[in-house]
Every structure is written in C-alpha cells, then in structure tokens.
Amino acid sequence: MNIEDFKEYVKTGKALNTEEIHRFMNEMSGEARRVTFRLNTAYHEPDEVRCLLSELFGYDVPASLRVFPPFYTDFGKNITVGKDVFINACCHFQDHGGVTLGDGCQIGHNVVFATLNHELHPEARQTTVPAPIVLGRNVWVGANATLLQGVTIGDNAVVAAGAVVTKDVAANTIVGGIPAKFIKNIQ
C-alpha cells in the first residue's frame, strides 16, 4: 500500500481493519513521530518550521502558513492547508481520514482534529472508521475545541473555545458548547 492508495481507500469511509492497512498506518505513524519530534524539540525559524511541515505533509506547504510548535499528528500525510493559515501551539491532528483547512483559517491553542471513530460494539471496538474534517475559508477555531470525524465547517464560521463539534457548521455562524450548538449568525 502507498499513500495514494490509502487516501483513496479512506474516501470510501470503510473501516480500517485489514492487516495491510494497519501495517501501513503504523509505518506512517512512525514517520510522523520522527518528523514531529524534530519539529517539537528545538526552536526553528518560520521557514524551518514550514520545511519540516512540508516533509511531514508530503508536499510544499504555502509560504504563508504559520505554525507555532509544538504540533502533533499521528499520520501527517492527509492534511491539506490553504494560504494564510495559522495554527497555534499544541494542536493535535489525527488526520487518517483527512483534514482540510481552507484559506485564511485560524486555529487556536490545543485544538483537536479527530478523523477516526471506533465501532460501538465491544467486540468490534478496535476497528476504526475514517471520515474527513473540512474547514472552509476564514474559519476561526477557538482554543481547546475538538472537531470530530466527518464535520464540515462553512466559510467564515467561528467555533467557540472549548466546543466539541459533532455536526456540520453552517457558513457565517458561531457555534459553541458540548456538543456545539448554534449561537448566532455573523452579520
């Protein structure tokens, strides 16, 4: 299996439950940890941070990307960032299912992106199922928010600090709470 085969497979939403997939995920996790350990254990100038993130993500990230380490991911190769994105310190990207950040997104401290979920039945609980998280343009996610698998957040939306997003968020709205609920429209 290679990265393109894996990305195509996760788009189907089928469970990640074969020996081949588990072996590949473990291999990619090891690679991601090697890069993130380098990123997170010393000071790096912004260009060096972008260079390490390009290695981690598997493509040249935009020159306008700003990330304040530490940055954590257990896969790394299924993250797509647009232009003028800012990711603050201590964010966790579980990106097996895919994470897309549109142009101008602002991500606060300690935000968690969780693209995998476990089966509910105890005998199948070790099986994980992927689904992407997609943020439109100019989305602001407040500190300590958690975005769960399969959610899409519309352009210009705001996710309040500490929110747990379990459902799609409409464009030009503010959501907050656990689970996140509509607060108001952005005028």
Side-chain angles (χ1 to χ4, degrees):
M1 175 165 280
N2 63 39
I3 191 63
E4 294 310 318
D5 292 338
F6 181 82
K7 286 180 180 180
E8 284 304 311
Y9 183 85
V10 297
K11 286 179 186 176
T12 69
K14 293 179 185 174
L16 304 175
N17 61 358
T18 70
E19 189 174 316
E20 178 185 22
I21 289 171
H22 287 169
R23 194 173 326 115
F24 181 75
M25 288 170 58
N26 285 335
E27 189 179 299
M28 291 294 96
S29 180
E31 183 178 317
R33 286 193 313 271
R34 282 188 289 279
V35 177
T36 56
F37 284 8
R38 289 185 1 239
L39 174 66
N40 296 334
T41 57
Y43 174 79
H44 300 282
E45 292 294 330
D47 286 342
E48 295 171 309
V49 170
R50 282 187 291 276
C51 183
L52 286 163
L53 291 171
S54 293
E55 180 181 346
L56 181 62
F57 295 175
Y59 65 92
D60 290 335
V61 301
S64 58
L65 173 64
R66 291 185 320 137
V67 175
F68 288 175
F71 176 88
Y72 304 98
T73 182
D74 56 356
F75 191 70
K77 297 291 192 252
N78 210 359
I79 299 170
T80 304
V81 295
K83 295 177 183 171
D84 301 314
V85 168
F86 173 69
I87 301 170
N88 217 323
C90 300
C91 290
H92 295 254
F93 281 61
Q94 180 198 55
D95 63 293
H96 294 83
V99 174
T100 301
L101 305 180
D103 293 345
C105 285
Q106 304 289 305
I107 311 301
H109 290 89
N110 298 312
V111 172
V112 173
F113 291 81
T115 67
L116 296 179
N117 202 357
H118 292 267
E119 294 285 349
L120 288 178
H121 299 291
E123 56 278 351
R125 196 154 295 150
Q126 292 194 4
T127 298
T128 55
V129 179
I133 296 171
V134 178
L135 277 59
R137 297 170 52 89
N138 301 312
V139 172
W140 173 20
V141 180
N144 296 303
T146 298
L147 310 179
L148 298 182
Q149 66 149 189
V151 300
T152 297
I153 300 177
D155 293 349
N156 307 311
V158 175
V159 174
V164 176
V165 180
T166 61
K167 297 178 183 171
D168 290 351
V169 175
N172 301 302
T173 62
I174 300 172
V175 299
I178 302 173
K181 294 189 182 336
F182 172 83
I183 295 174
K184 68 178 184 176
N185 289 308
I186 298 171
Q187 312 252 346

